[in-house]
Amino acid sequence: MSENFMEITKEDIENIDNALKSNADYKLNNAKFDIKSFEKGKDISLTQYVANVENELVFQTKEENGKYYISEIFNLFMDNIINGNVSRDVFQSVSSYFHDVIADENNDFEDEKEELINFLVLTEEYDANKLEIDLDPSKIRQDYKKDYDVIYSDDSLNRVQKSLALKELLHMSICQVVNDIDLFFTRPHDLTPEEHSEKNRQEQKSLENEVQLS
């Protein structure tokens, strides 16, 4: 199978070379990530560390007519190498996808879904077949609408409680796809001050109930 390449600038090569020296998520295994490696067409091997998992990534390089090229799949990792934190990037990628799918019902998001699945499968130990189901735009929208209808038909909840509950359920759906247990104990990133206050009140009430039971 022929490799697909993307162009990469000298500046990007230098930035990535510098980032690899300090990024604990990636380790350069063989050739240096520099202009000479591209000119010689060397394969560049990286080890990616995610939690307790090590993934070996190999990218082909070449130079043609003064321009530099690397395996196209490298584009999925470039920003993360420069900015760091694989786990955060995985969560943010899935979260952004979910929110975009819900916000734009007229887009089929097939290209975005395929790109995200490729990224997740290469980044961590995900099942591509399960991701096809979990990231299906129709399923995401149906689940969200079902949760919306249930929450907003509950007259016992006020306006803030309803919006908080809906955001928390969406957050849980994202966490289930990412499959990181620590994320289940975090709050949605887009809570308003009112929603944060309501969440604080709920947590305080839950704590008081636990103390009474004990």
Side-chain angles (χ1 to χ4, degrees):
M1 181 183 295
S2 61
E3 185 82 15
N4 291 324
F5 288 89
M6 56 173 270
E7 186 178 351
I8 185 169
T9 66
K10 281 188 176 181
E11 183 180 3
D12 283 336
I13 293 173
E14 292 172 0
N15 288 339
I16 292 165
D17 182 38
N18 290 329
L20 286 170
K21 295 173 183 176
S22 58
N23 191 326
D25 290 331
Y26 295 87
K27 176 187 174 184
L28 193 59
N29 294 327
N30 54 354
K32 293 182 179 180
F33 203 101
D34 60 12
I35 297 297
K36 289 184 178 179
S37 293
F38 280 77
E39 290 174 343
K40 295 178 181 179
K42 290 186 176 180
D43 287 352
I44 292 178
S45 171
L46 299 175
T47 298
Q48 179 194 57
Y49 300 92
V50 184
N52 296 320
V53 179
E54 295 183 10
N55 301 312
E56 184 174 357
L57 309 170
V58 179
F59 307 100
Q60 294 182 19
T61 68
K62 66 179 181 179
E63 181 269 334
E64 288 183 357
N65 301 320
K67 295 183 178 181
Y68 304 95
Y69 300 87
I70 191 167
S71 301
E72 190 176 38
I73 198 72
F74 184 74
N75 190 47
L76 296 175
F77 302 92
M78 190 162 76
D79 287 343
N80 182 252
I81 291 173
I82 294 173
N83 298 317
N85 199 323
V86 173
S87 297
R88 181 192 64 205
D89 195 55
V90 167
F91 176 78
Q92 288 180 342
S93 296
V94 175
S95 179
S96 295
Y97 175 81
F98 265 69
H99 284 88
D100 289 345
V101 165
I102 291 168
D104 186 0
E105 294 188 359
N106 295 321
N107 190 337
D108 63 14
F109 286 93
E110 281 303 312
D111 291 341
E112 291 84 351
K113 183 180 77 170
E114 182 180 356
E115 182 176 342
L116 181 56
I117 290 174
N118 288 338
F119 170 66
L120 293 175
V121 170
L122 284 169
T123 301
E124 297 196 37
E125 294 182 330
Y126 289 104
D127 182 341
N129 292 327
K130 187 174 186 304
L131 289 173
E132 281 283 351
I133 298 171
D134 292 340
L135 297 177
D136 177 69
S138 297
K139 179 181 182 300
I140 292 172
R141 293 176 186 130
Q142 288 172 3
D143 290 346
Y144 182 80
K145 186 179 185 305
K146 180 180 177 182
D147 290 337
Y148 181 96
D149 290 343
V150 170
I151 291 170
Y152 278 83
S153 64
D154 188 343
D155 294 333
S156 68
L157 301 176
N158 62 35
R159 173 184 59 82
V160 176
Q161 290 170 334
K162 288 177 179 179
S163 61
L164 172 61
L166 187 61
K167 288 181 180 179
E168 286 189 311
L169 286 177
L170 178 59
H171 184 67
M172 289 298 103
S173 296
I174 295 166
C175 291
Q176 286 175 351
V177 174
V178 177
N179 196 26
D180 185 335
I181 191 168
D182 291 334
L183 292 173
F184 284 93
F185 300 99
T186 63
R187 296 184 180 187
H189 67 85
D190 57 346
L191 295 188
T192 65
E194 282 183 310
E195 290 163 349
H196 274 296
S197 295
E198 173 60 25
K199 185 63 178 176
N200 291 339
R201 187 192 68 79
Q202 292 177 3
E203 290 178 347
Q204 180 61 35
K205 184 176 180 180
S206 176
L207 182 60
E208 291 173 356
N209 290 338
E210 288 181 11
V211 171
Q212 290 176 358
L213 291 173
S214 62

Short mmCIF file of all heavy atoms in Angstrom, two decimals, residues 13 39 49 61 64 78 87 112 126 151 155 161 164 171 182 204:
data_model
loop_
_atom_site.label_atom_id
_atom_site.label_comp_id
_atom_site.label_asym_id
_atom_site.label_seq_id
_atom_site.Cartn_x
_atom_site.Cartn_y
_atom_site.Cartn_z
N ILE A 13 9.04 21.37 11.66
CA ILE A 13 10.02 20.35 12.00
C ILE A 13 10.85 20.78 13.20
O ILE A 13 11.07 20.00 14.14
CB ILE A 13 10.93 20.04 10.79
CG1 ILE A 13 10.12 19.38 9.67
CG2 ILE A 13 12.10 19.15 11.20
CD1 ILE A 13 10.88 19.20 8.38
N GLU A 39 15.69 14.70 4.50
CA GLU A 39 16.45 14.67 3.27
C GLU A 39 16.90 13.26 2.91
O GLU A 39 17.02 12.90 1.73
CB GLU A 39 17.66 15.60 3.40
CG GLU A 39 17.28 17.08 3.43
CD GLU A 39 18.47 17.98 3.69
OE1 GLU A 39 19.51 17.49 4.17
OE2 GLU A 39 18.35 19.20 3.43
N TYR A 49 3.15 7.41 25.11
CA TYR A 49 2.78 6.88 26.42
C TYR A 49 1.42 7.45 26.82
O TYR A 49 1.26 8.67 26.94
CB TYR A 49 3.83 7.27 27.47
CG TYR A 49 5.21 6.73 27.16
CD1 TYR A 49 6.12 7.50 26.43
CD2 TYR A 49 5.60 5.46 27.58
CE1 TYR A 49 7.39 7.01 26.13
CE2 TYR A 49 6.86 4.96 27.28
CZ TYR A 49 7.75 5.74 26.55
OH TYR A 49 9.00 5.26 26.25
N THR A 61 9.19 9.66 5.88
CA THR A 61 9.52 11.03 5.51
C THR A 61 10.17 11.06 4.14
O THR A 61 10.68 10.04 3.65
CB THR A 61 10.50 11.67 6.52
OG1 THR A 61 11.78 11.01 6.41
CG2 THR A 61 10.00 11.53 7.96
N GLU A 64 11.35 16.48 -1.47
CA GLU A 64 11.22 16.60 -2.93
C GLU A 64 11.22 18.07 -3.31
O GLU A 64 10.40 18.85 -2.79
CB GLU A 64 9.93 15.94 -3.43
CG GLU A 64 9.95 14.41 -3.38
CD GLU A 64 8.67 13.81 -3.96
OE1 GLU A 64 7.76 14.61 -4.33
OE2 GLU A 64 8.57 12.58 -4.03
N MET A 78 0.42 15.92 15.57
CA MET A 78 1.34 17.05 15.57
C MET A 78 1.02 18.08 16.66
O MET A 78 1.90 18.48 17.43
CB MET A 78 1.34 17.73 14.20
CG MET A 78 2.45 18.76 14.05
SD MET A 78 2.79 19.15 12.32
CE MET A 78 1.40 20.20 11.94
N SER A 87 -4.12 12.46 27.11
CA SER A 87 -5.43 12.15 27.68
C SER A 87 -6.38 13.33 27.56
O SER A 87 -7.56 13.18 27.25
CB SER A 87 -5.28 11.75 29.16
OG SER A 87 -4.53 10.57 29.27
N GLU A 112 -15.62 13.77 9.82
CA GLU A 112 -15.15 14.06 11.17
C GLU A 112 -15.14 12.80 12.04
O GLU A 112 -14.22 12.58 12.83
CB GLU A 112 -16.04 15.12 11.83
CG GLU A 112 -15.92 16.50 11.23
CD GLU A 112 -16.79 16.72 10.01
OE1 GLU A 112 -17.39 15.73 9.51
OE2 GLU A 112 -16.89 17.87 9.56
N TYR A 126 -8.70 1.49 21.77
CA TYR A 126 -10.14 1.55 21.53
C TYR A 126 -10.54 0.54 20.47
O TYR A 126 -9.75 0.19 19.59
CB TYR A 126 -10.55 2.96 21.08
CG TYR A 126 -10.49 4.01 22.16
CD1 TYR A 126 -9.44 4.92 22.20
CD2 TYR A 126 -11.47 4.09 23.13
CE1 TYR A 126 -9.39 5.90 23.18
CE2 TYR A 126 -11.43 5.06 24.13
CZ TYR A 126 -10.37 5.96 24.14
OH TYR A 126 -10.32 6.91 25.12
N ILE A 151 -35.84 15.20 31.03
CA ILE A 151 -35.48 16.22 32.02
C ILE A 151 -36.44 17.40 31.99
O ILE A 151 -36.92 17.86 33.03
CB ILE A 151 -34.03 16.71 31.78
CG1 ILE A 151 -33.04 15.59 32.13
CG2 ILE A 151 -33.73 17.96 32.60
CD1 ILE A 151 -31.62 15.87 31.70
N ASP A 155 -41.41 18.50 36.18
CA ASP A 155 -41.80 19.78 36.78
C ASP A 155 -41.21 20.00 38.16
O ASP A 155 -41.32 21.11 38.71
CB ASP A 155 -43.33 19.87 36.86
CG ASP A 155 -43.97 19.92 35.48
OD1 ASP A 155 -43.30 20.38 34.54
OD2 ASP A 155 -45.14 19.47 35.35
N GLN A 161 -31.57 23.58 37.42
CA GLN A 161 -31.42 22.15 37.65
C GLN A 161 -31.59 21.35 36.37
O GLN A 161 -30.89 20.37 36.14
CB GLN A 161 -32.42 21.68 38.71
CG GLN A 161 -32.11 22.20 40.11
CD GLN A 161 -33.24 21.93 41.08
OE1 GLN A 161 -34.40 21.81 40.70
NE2 GLN A 161 -32.91 21.85 42.37
N LEU A 164 -28.45 21.95 34.15
CA LEU A 164 -27.32 21.24 34.76
C LEU A 164 -27.42 19.74 34.51
O LEU A 164 -26.44 19.10 34.11
CB LEU A 164 -27.28 21.52 36.27
CG LEU A 164 -26.28 20.69 37.09
CD1 LEU A 164 -24.85 20.95 36.63
CD2 LEU A 164 -26.44 20.99 38.58
N HIS A 171 -22.12 14.95 29.45
CA HIS A 171 -20.75 14.75 29.93
C HIS A 171 -20.48 13.28 30.22
O HIS A 171 -19.42 12.75 29.86
CB HIS A 171 -20.54 15.59 31.20
CG HIS A 171 -19.15 15.54 31.75
ND1 HIS A 171 -18.06 16.06 31.09
CD2 HIS A 171 -18.66 15.02 32.91
CE1 HIS A 171 -16.96 15.88 31.81
NE2 HIS A 171 -17.30 15.24 32.92
N ASP A 182 -11.43 8.44 35.78
CA ASP A 182 -11.21 9.70 36.50
C ASP A 182 -12.10 10.81 35.98
O ASP A 182 -12.49 11.72 36.72
CB ASP A 182 -9.75 10.13 36.38
CG ASP A 182 -8.81 9.20 37.13
OD1 ASP A 182 -9.27 8.56 38.10
OD2 ASP A 182 -7.63 9.11 36.76
N GLN A 204 -23.17 19.30 48.56
CA GLN A 204 -23.22 19.55 49.99
C GLN A 204 -24.37 18.79 50.64
O GLN A 204 -24.22 18.19 51.71
CB GLN A 204 -23.37 21.05 50.25
CG GLN A 204 -23.43 21.44 51.72
CD GLN A 204 -22.16 21.06 52.48
OE1 GLN A 204 -21.06 21.14 51.91
NE2 GLN A 204 -22.28 20.67 53.74
#
